Amino acid sequence: MSFEYEGTVTTSASPKDVWHLWSDVGSWHCWDPSVQQVCMEGHFAEGAAGTMTLVGGLEAPFVLEIVEPNSRFLDRVTMGDLVIHIDHEVKATDTGSEVTVRTHLSGPGAADVGPIVTGDTPKALEALVRMAEQKS
């Protein structure tokens, strides 16, 4: 079973301003309403691992699989047999940036859990770009 979701927003903020927020895992709870806290061992780089505590207290381990500074990162969140890949990408535009998040769930119950996992993504993207624009 699998589930896919993609959301894109545009912003006047630069890719660097968006990246600053993405690479600061301690601030994820400020723009992502589903995140309560994030702890990560080491620097924001490929192979770095940590734990996300979601609202409601559920803890989920994650690993950064791809990190391309000021451009893209892909993380893998594991919840039992359910695997969630979240691909974050920011591209420069003439007026700022385009920010895209692609989420892919695979494993038992992915089709049922997917809409719950991605339900706050539009809110998270809007909050992220608002915060990034304040840094611009």
Side-chain angles (χ1 to χ4, degrees):
M1 294 201 138
S2 67
F3 174 88
E4 294 190 16
Y5 172 88
E6 180 174 318
T8 300
V9 294
T10 57
T11 177
S12 60
S14 71
K16 183 179 178 182
D17 290 328
V18 172
W19 185 261
H20 175 77
L21 293 169
W22 275 347
S23 62
D24 177 12
V25 298
S27 73
W28 286 6
H29 71 279
C30 295
W31 52 265
D32 189 335
S34 65
V35 173
Q36 185 176 334
Q37 180 181 2
V38 179
C39 298
M40 187 173 73
E41 301 167 12
H43 299 287
F44 196 85
E46 288 179 18
T51 303
M52 240 187 297
T53 304
L54 304 174
V55 171
L58 179 66
E59 290 188 357
F62 72 94
V63 175
L64 299 178
E65 293 189 340
I66 298 171
V67 176
E68 299 170 359
N70 296 314
S71 176
R72 176 181 178 225
F73 80 96
L74 172 73
D75 61 357
R76 179 185 74 235
V77 179
T78 306
M79 300 172 79
D81 292 334
L82 188 65
V83 178
I84 306 166
H85 283 95
I86 307 171
D87 197 357
H88 308 75
E89 186 175 28
V90 60
K91 294 180 181 177
T93 65
D94 290 341
T95 58
S97 303
E98 180 180 87
V99 180
T100 301
V101 172
R102 294 175 191 88
T103 305
H104 177 83
L105 287 82
S106 59
D112 296 326
V113 176
I116 297 166
V117 169
T118 60
D120 283 335
T121 302
K123 291 177 189 173
L125 284 169
E126 290 299 330
L128 173 76
V129 298
R130 268 195 314 275
M131 287 181 68
E133 287 167 359
Q134 290 172 359
K135 293 191 176 298
S136 298

